[in-house]
Amino acid sequence: MREINVSDITSNIKEMCIEAAHFLSGDMSRAFNAAVENESSELGKKVLSQLKDNLKIAGEEMIPICQDTGMAVVFMEIGQDLHFTGGNLEEAINEGVRQGYKEGYLRKSVVSDPIERINTKDNTPAVIHYNIVLGEKVKITVAPKGFGSENMSRIFMLKPADGIEGVKNAVLTAVRDAGPNACPPMVVGVGIGGTFEKCAILAKKALTRPVDMPSDIPYVKELECELLDRINSMGIGPGGLGGKITAMAINIETYATHIAGLPVAVNICCHVNRHAVREL
Amino acid sequence: MDKHINVPFSKEEAKKLKIGEYVYLSGTIYTARDAAHKRMDEALNNEEELPFNIEGNIIYYMGPSPAREGRPIGSAGPTTASRMDKYTPRLLDMGMIGMVGKGKRTDAVKDAVIRNGAVYFAAVGGAGALLSKAIISSEVIAYDDLGTEAIRKLEIKDFPVIVVMDSEGNDLYKAVTAGMQKRI
Ligand code: SF4
């Protein structure tokens, strides 16, 4: 059994919050550069070149890429032979978020209660998803999520008879409705199957998969390709001002489901699809 | 094709702006987002004054990230405008000349834009670092307790925006998805 002190979790999460707010991950950079090359509309190109300059300024001067530095979503994949010492793991994660948002000059966008709406002033609590896996390591993914795009996300409880066409319609509807609100070019995360909550978590998880890594299930990979083509023929374009590149990628995750159901969740994300990953 | 205008500006100036035009704004603008709009609306309900003179002025839907030492402001890009739609027609009817944000508006906002000869600009969403460079100074003038959502008075220079709804109610977002790909 391996041991790890929770203070290591805190310090890593702090750094990852700051990193994700200022630098695109490698996969997102590649997707972004491809978008710059492929856009042909005049305003679309102008938007993308602004975003390119924006990324440069963000990294060089440590100004967050976007002022909405999000609510911190943290995925913890914990090996079952790992033992956390030195305190409460959940508190350690939140402490990392607290320190990262303070020391990184990130915006505090979290309110303690959805109706009373008092700002917690340190961007905690995070939304944390735990998974127990084999091994003695922990894989941490920090994916701060902005709400311009989060608000445009949808869940559809389809019927089995709706089939793959129903899934396509659901995704295209969500993207069309999101339009300029979600700061296109977007990244679209889709979860198909499971239960009501499982498909939502799958969709969120899908956003953290490298955007240049297609699904390894053949029909899902095909579906990703087809949907990306169809999304990019809608004309929404960068900034919603018209153009070819409405989405840079769509990642789909699937899971077993019930004989009576076909849940589909569409988690819309913007071009600042933040995700930092570390394994300890 | 790019235009430069100073804020505040007149209705005559607003009338000349057409959707798809790229405009650089300079002068003074005010920030407000959800919570500040709610408070302004309540102030008006209680027949109190707004914290600034709205006539001829622009509201920028924005809540910045904290400023680092030596900088006037942190990252400072637009937030989604539709969350302010409920409050906007009233402000337009009081003489607000324009808004800077991102995303679609309701028909009620569009009608108020036409009725008052105003204009809705988009700044590029997610370009907060770049946009912060066009902000020379920032001062909280009301609702300090709201933190990032407080009302700020900003001095801006060549702040880049695009006209997405003009004084006749033409809507660039609708135009591009209606298959009208021709650039205006
Ligand atoms: S949707 Fe993304 S880019 Fe747009 S404001 Fe939110 S976090 Fe920023």
Side-chain angles (χ1 to χ4, degrees), chain A residues 64-102:
Chain A
I65 301 171
C66 178
Q67 74 291 337
D68 183 358
T69 47
M71 186 167 195
V73 178
V74 180
F75 287 96
M76 300 287 291
E77 281 175 53
I78 302 168
Q80 62 188 23
D81 295 322
L82 182 63
H83 179 213
F84 291 100
T85 60
N88 178 315
L89 176 62
E90 186 137 336
E91 272 171 22
I93 294 170
N94 280 319
E95 183 58 27
V97 170
R98 187 173 291 124
Q99 291 179 10
Y101 275 72
K102 182 159 187 288

Side-chain angles (χ1 to χ4, degrees), chain B residues 3-44:
Chain B
K3 286 192 173 174
H4 291 257
I5 36 180
N6 287 317
V7 195
F9 57 82
S10 65
K11 289 193 176 182
E12 288 67 51
E13 195 76 50
K15 205 171 262 165
K16 291 186 216 148
L17 297 168
K18 300 292 166 217
I19 54 167
E21 280 180 335
Y22 210 83
V23 181
Y24 292 93
L25 301 175
S26 297
T28 306
I29 60 173
Y30 296 88
T31 70
R33 34 175 299 152
D34 312 51
H37 272 80
K38 186 159 182 264
R39 280 210 196 161
M40 287 196 287
D41 201 57
E42 284 161 4
L44 293 173

Side-chain angles (χ1 to χ4, degrees), chain B:
Chain B
M1 180 186 118
D2 297 353
K3 286 192 173 174
H4 291 257
I5 36 180
N6 287 317
V7 195
F9 57 82
S10 65
K11 289 193 176 182
E12 288 67 51
E13 195 76 50
K15 205 171 262 165
K16 291 186 216 148
L17 297 168
K18 300 292 166 217
I19 54 167
E21 280 180 335
Y22 210 83
V23 181
Y24 292 93
L25 301 175
S26 297
T28 306
I29 60 173
Y30 296 88
T31 70
R33 34 175 299 152
D34 312 51
H37 272 80
K38 186 159 182 264
R39 280 210 196 161
M40 287 196 287
D41 201 57
E42 284 161 4
L44 293 173
N45 289 344
N46 297 332
E47 293 176 16
E48 291 161 17
E49 298 239 316
L50 292 182
F52 61 95
N53 176 18
I54 194 118
E55 221 177 312
N57 269 310
I58 284 183
I59 291 184
Y60 180 23
Y61 304 136
M62 191 277 287
S65 64
R68 283 186 182 270
E69 297 81 16
R71 295 274 316 140
I73 203 161
S75 194
T79 195
T80 308
S82 59
R83 294 194 317 274
M84 270 51 79
D85 284 354
K86 191 176 150 195
Y87 308 111
T88 300
R90 186 177 199 176
L91 299 174
L92 286 167
D93 289 337
M94 291 177 67
M96 176 168 74
I97 197 71
M99 306 144 278
V100 178
K102 64 167 168 104
K104 306 172 203 179
R105 308 307 300 260
T106 54
D107 284 342
V109 171
K110 183 173 110 178
D111 292 344
V113 163
I114 300 171
R115 182 161 74 236
N116 295 290
V119 55
Y120 169 45
F121 300 102
V124 172
L130 174 92
L131 292 167
S132 78
K133 297 299 224 174
I135 297 170
I136 301 163
S137 71
S138 160
E139 180 198 348
V140 173
I141 58 156
Y143 313 150
D144 199 9
D145 60 300
L146 294 180
T148 185
E149 295 208 66
I151 294 188
R152 287 173 170 77
K153 180 179 176 185
L154 305 181
E155 297 302 324
I156 55 172
K157 174 110 181 61
D158 294 335
F159 189 94
V161 294
I162 301 112
V163 181
V164 285
M165 187 183 289
D166 60 28
S167 59
E168 289 168 4
N170 297 306
D171 182 333
L172 179 64
Y173 294 135
K174 284 203 178 123
V176 296
T177 46
M180 291 166 55
Q181 294 291 350
K182 64 174 188 290
R183 292 279 134 255
I184 303 128

Side-chain angles (χ1 to χ4, degrees), chain A residues 175-224:
Chain A
V175 171
R176 189 177 300 119
D177 291 350
N181 294 24
C183 296
M186 312 172 201
V187 176
V188 184
V190 180
I192 310 175
T195 47
F196 182 77
E197 86 287 6
K198 178 71 180 177
C199 73
I201 295 172
L202 285 176
K204 178 73 75 201
K205 196 83 206 283
L207 289 172
T208 69
R209 192 173 91 206
V211 292
D212 43 10
M213 185 198 279
S215 167
D216 46 21
I217 304 169
Y219 91 85
V220 177
K221 182 178 170 180
E222 256 175 57
L223 187 59
E224 288 172 345

Side-chain angles (χ1 to χ4, degrees), chain A residues 158-160 193-194 257-263:
Chain A
L158 302 180
K159 297 175 186 65
T257 191
H258 188 277
I259 47 174
L262 175 50

Side-chain angles (χ1 to χ4, degrees), chain A residues 107-119:
Chain A
R107 197 178 78 182
K108 288 77 179 171
S109 314
V110 173
V111 292
S112 59
D113 179 279
I115 301 302
E116 290 166 354
R117 307 200 75 82
I118 308 295
N119 198 304

